[in-house]
Structures are given as C-alpha cells and as structure tokens.
C-alpha cells in the first residue's frame, strides 16, 4: 500500500530503519491549544464534541497544523465504553469524569450490557472514517481504548480515585466478580478497537493509565491477562498492512518484559524507566514509545532540547523508537514548548 505519505511511525513500530524517530504526543489535541478551546466552547460540552464527527475531526487535525507530527490520534475518550454501558458519564468542572451509576454488586456486574461498537458507539466509528479521509494519507491515524482495568477503576469508583478502594476490595474479596466485569470490558474493548480498525485506524493504542497501582501479582491477574486477551482478538491485518498495537501501562516498567511478550508491537514507557534499560530488556522484540516527563515542557527551551537528546542517547542507535511523552500533555503547557520538543526530535542526530 502506498497511500501513506509519511509512514515513519509504522516503520518504527515494525522496528524497520527510519531517517529519524517518529514523534506524536499523548493528548496532543486538547485544552493546551487555544484553537481547541474555541471548538470545545462551540460544542458546548466535551461529549458533544466527541459525538460530532466534523468537530472531532477538526480538533484531531489541529495539532498537525501546528507541529510536524508523524501521527494523528482519534479525538475521543476512553470513557465512551462505560458511557455506552448506560452508566451516565458527566464531567464536573475541576473534578474530572464522573458516573451517575457505579458497578459494585454482583447484580450490577451481571446486568451490565456489553455494547456493540457499530451501533452503540457509531459516533466514534464515524469520527474515525471522517478523520481518515480528511487526513488524505498525510500520516497514519491511531485509534485507542482504555484497558479493562483502567475502565473498571472509573466504573466501580464512580469517577477518578486516589486509592481505588472499591475496585481493590472487589479484586481481593470477590475476585470472580472482578473477573466477570473485566471479561465483559475486554470483549467490549476488542469489538470497539476492531470497529475502529475497520473504519480506518492504522495503529491502535490501549491506555492502561492505572495498571501501575496494582501489586505485581494483581497486575498480572487483573490487568495484563485482559490486555493479552484483547491483543489476541484484534484484527492485525487490514488494507494489506499490519495493524500495530501499542500497550501503555503507566508506571508499568516493572512488567516491561511481560507486556512485551503479550503479542503487542510496542510498549509505551512513562518517565520512571530509562529508555536504554528498557531497550536492553526487550532487545528488538518490540518497539518502545516515550518517555519524556510532560513536566519538562514547563522548563526553558534549552532544557527541553537537552532532555530529548538525553532520551535519544539512552535509547541508542537502534530501530524501534517512537518519541512521545511519558503521559499526556497537560492543559497548562505552552504550545510553543511542544513546538520545541517536536522540533528537537525532528532534528534527529545524536
Ligand atoms: O491523545 C489525544 O489527543 C486523544 C484524545 C484523548 C482524550 N482522552 C481527550 C480528552 C485521549 C487519548 C484520552 C484518554 C483518556 N481519558 C485517558 C487515558 C489516558 C491518560 O491520560 O491517562 C483517561 C484516564 C481519560 C479519562 C478522562 N477524560 C479524564 C481524566 C479527563 C479530564 C477531565 C478534566 O476535567 O480534566 C477526560 C476528558 C478529556 N478527554 C478531555 C480531553 C481533551 C478534556 C475535556 C474538555 O475538553 O473539557
């Protein structure tokens, strides 16, 4: 297939040689961009923005107009799945996402519907195809979903949480109930990502934002097991091309080897692990993505540039590095600092 003008990301994910490491940023579309805030205001609410394919497409493309990025990421949210499970998602200003209903009892879990992506989440599938055609092959489009564990934290706690007390109680006190919930979520995520791939997503990433809050044994049993199951169920070949899968467990450095053995193509690393150490552990088995601390974007330009150079030196002269932050860009970041970060990656060299 030759419809992609810039296939640096796909090549790096396949551990093939590239002229320089590709770069994109988690949360590259969002509130740090004034042009995003304008469209968001027009939409009235975040979910209205996600539900309107033209607006979702517009904000997906905004960071590409500003910076020479090597990928677009679908504008949506990981919480679309619990929203489609009728839990009543809403956003309380300053407090983050919340759900009207929580999932705690045996009956809550049993009665939870598994959404059908093509019907219940058709607005996301439409956004993917709209964005894919608007991109016109400039760069690949990344689709995404949350991991079952991370989605479960929001659904069981009813929103963001510091200690995940309710869900952790469930995994230790009634593990079979937790497994039933995670199994439903794994089926929903697999179906959702496959619908995105059929609609035109050329790469998919699974965000396991809260996997790092688990003990070693619990991570393997309640998060990694379901990530493996999803990877095994995904469409891996579409439009004559391999569809790479990136797994990102924040604070997951401890399990890098096991995540790399899950069948994924790449592992996202936050900033707590050195890229060179990560590369030594995985060798050429998977690509690595990351890992600059997003807080570096609050520092002067020369500090940002030095940090990019350090990460490049740490990773070394191997194929398979995708530059990114170790977590999403925060709303307070100055877009000019993102420009410096991307520019320094694009300069390449040692
Ligand atoms: O990366 C991208 O540019 C694509 C868009 C994207 C969003 N959310 C847009 C968004 C992605 C990939 C996500 C994933 C997501 N959402 C995660 C996993 C990644 C991570 O950062 O850990 C999580 C945990 C969520 C849940 C969620 N949705 C939170 C915590 C928030 C912020 C709430 C707040 O008020 O601060 C959201 C809403 C959200 N998702 C916004 C954006 C741009 C901001 C909402 C707005 O514009 O009002």
């Amino acid at each position: 297939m030759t419809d992609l003008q810039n296939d640096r990301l796909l090549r790096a994910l396949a551990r093939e040689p590239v002229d320089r490491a590709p770069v994109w940023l988690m949360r590259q579309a969002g509130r740090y961009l004034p042009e995003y805030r304008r469209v968001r205001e027009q939409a009235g609410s975040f979910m209205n923005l996600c539900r309107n394919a033209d607006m979702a497409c517009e904000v997906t493309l905004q960071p590409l107009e500003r910076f020479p990025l090597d990928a677009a990421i679908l504008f949506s949210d990981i919480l679309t799945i619990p929203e489609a499970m009728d839990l009543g998602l809403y956003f309380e200003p300053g407090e983050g996402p919340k759900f009207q209903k929580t999932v705690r009892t045996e009956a809550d879990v049993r009665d939870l519907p598994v959404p059908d992506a093509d019907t219940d989440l058709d607005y996301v599938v439409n956004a993917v195809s709209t964005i894919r055609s608007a991109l016109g092959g400039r760069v690949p489009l990344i689709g995404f979903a949350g991991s079952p564990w991370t989605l479960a934290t929001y659904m069981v706690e009813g929103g963001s949480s510091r200690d995940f007390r309710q869900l952790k109680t469930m995994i230790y006190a009634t593990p079979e109930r937790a497994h039933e919930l995670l199994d439903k979520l794994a089926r929903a995520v697999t179906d959702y990502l496959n619908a995105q791939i059929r609609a035109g997503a050329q790469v998919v990433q699974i965000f396991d934002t809260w996997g790092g809050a688990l003990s070693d044994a619990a991570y393997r049993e309640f998060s990694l097991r379901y990530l493996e199951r999803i990877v095994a169920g995904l469409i891996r070949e579409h439009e004559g091309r391999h569809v790479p899968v990136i797994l990102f467990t924040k604070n997951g450095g401890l399990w890098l080897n096991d995540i790399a053995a899950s069948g994924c193509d790449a592992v996202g690393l936050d900033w707590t692990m050195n890229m060179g150490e990560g590369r030594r552990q995985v060798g050429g088995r998977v690509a690595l993505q990351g890992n600059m601390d997003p807080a570096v974007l609050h520092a002067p330009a020369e500090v940002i540039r030095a940090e990019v150079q350090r990460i490049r030196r740490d990773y070394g002269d191997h194929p398979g590095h995708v530059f990114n932050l170790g977590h999403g860009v925060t709303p307070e970041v100055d877009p000019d600092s993102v420009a410096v970060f991307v520019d320094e990656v694009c300069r390449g060299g040692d």
Side-chain angles (χ1 to χ4, degrees):
M1 297 285 289
T2 52
D3 63 324
L4 256 182
Q5 291 140 40
N6 173 348
D7 65 353
R8 228 178 244 121
L9 176 68
L10 298 184
R11 295 181 69 88
L13 291 173
R15 283 87 74 206
E16 289 170 10
V18 279
D19 55 343
R20 61 158 175 84
V23 59
W24 67 280
L25 287 84
M26 291 190 270
R27 298 276 187 109
Q28 64 190 22
R31 281 175 296 187
Y32 76 106
L33 293 176
E35 59 271 34
Y36 168 82
R37 294 197 296 267
R38 277 195 293 277
V39 179
R40 163 75 175 74
E41 201 173 318
Q42 232 178 296
S45 74
F46 172 68
M47 279 314 288
N48 281 352
L49 177 46
C50 293
R51 286 181 186 281
N52 183 314
D54 291 327
M55 282 183 164
C57 178
E58 185 181 349
V59 298
T60 300
L61 300 182
Q62 283 173 347
L64 303 176
E65 306 300 334
R66 271 192 189 249
F67 319 114
L69 296 162
D70 296 300
I73 176 161
L74 161 70
F75 187 83
S76 189
D77 199 80
I78 63 165
L79 300 177
T80 51
I81 286 184
E83 207 270 336
M85 290 172 149
D86 300 325
L87 298 181
L89 173 66
Y90 64 102
F91 288 89
E92 203 73 85
E95 283 185 57
K98 290 206 184 302
F99 286 103
Q100 266 149 14
K101 278 191 260 174
T102 55
V103 181
R104 292 186 186 167
T105 67
E106 201 183 323
D108 290 342
V109 173
R110 191 189 52 228
D111 296 341
L112 199 66
V114 176
D116 174 74
D118 286 316
T119 52
D120 302 320
L121 289 154
D122 59 340
Y123 67 94
V124 180
V125 179
N126 292 338
V128 170
S129 47
T130 304
I131 296 162
R132 176 66 192 274
S133 55
L135 278 169
R138 275 163 71 184
V139 291
L141 174 60
I142 303 170
F144 71 91
S147 72
W149 169 260
T150 292
L151 294 177
T153 65
Y154 290 95
M155 295 163 67
V156 173
E157 305 295 332
S160 304
S161 168
R162 262 182 302 123
D163 54 6
F164 311 109
R165 187 166 58 88
Q166 300 288 348
L167 180 56
K168 285 200 172 184
T169 302
M170 193 193 288
I171 66 170
Y172 292 118
T174 54
E176 64 297 330
R177 190 182 305 170
H179 280 303
E180 190 181 339
L181 171 59
L182 294 165
D183 175 69
K184 281 192 174 186
L185 285 167
R187 285 189 275 135
V189 169
T190 306
D191 177 56
Y192 182 56
L193 288 175
N194 281 337
Q196 292 183 33
I197 292 167
R198 283 193 301 269
Q202 291 142 303
V203 175
V204 292
Q205 171 157 324
I206 303 176
F207 287 88
D208 186 21
T209 307
W210 302 121
L214 285 164
S215 74
D216 176 49
Y219 176 75
R220 294 169 197 280
E221 181 176 349
F222 296 98
S223 188
L224 183 58
R225 184 197 287 190
Y226 293 94
L227 293 173
E228 289 165 350
R229 220 179 263 183
I230 293 165
V231 173
L234 290 178
I235 298 169
R236 301 304 288 278
E237 183 86 22
H238 191 66
E239 302 176 276
R241 257 207 210 94
H242 180 66
V243 182
V245 180
I246 307 167
L247 297 183
F248 171 65
T249 291
K250 183 152 170 283
N251 246 303
L254 181 62
W255 304 292
L256 176 57
N257 263 311
D258 305 276
I259 301 170
S262 68
C264 68
D265 298 85
V267 181
L269 289 183
D270 67 13
W271 56 89
T272 58
M273 187 175 199
N274 178 284
M275 269 297 198
E277 175 53 30
R279 164 74 202 186
R280 274 187 291 283
Q281 287 191 25
V282 301
R285 283 186 296 150
V286 288
L288 292 179
Q289 175 177 283
N291 72 331
M292 193 175 88
D293 184 344
V296 174
L297 294 173
H298 295 301
E302 59 275 19
V303 177
I304 299 171
R305 291 190 186 279
E307 194 67 12
V308 168
Q309 289 158 16
R310 188 188 61 71
I311 291 168
R312 187 186 288 129
R313 269 197 312 277
D314 284 346
Y315 187 81
D317 188 19
H318 313 285
H321 181 199
V322 177
F323 253 106
N324 204 314
L325 302 177
H327 197 195
V329 199
T330 49
E332 303 77 21
V333 161
D334 182 342
D336 290 344
S337 298
V338 173
V340 170
F341 168 70
V342 175
D343 179 68
E344 188 57 39
V345 176
C346 291
R347 287 156 66 112
D350 303 317

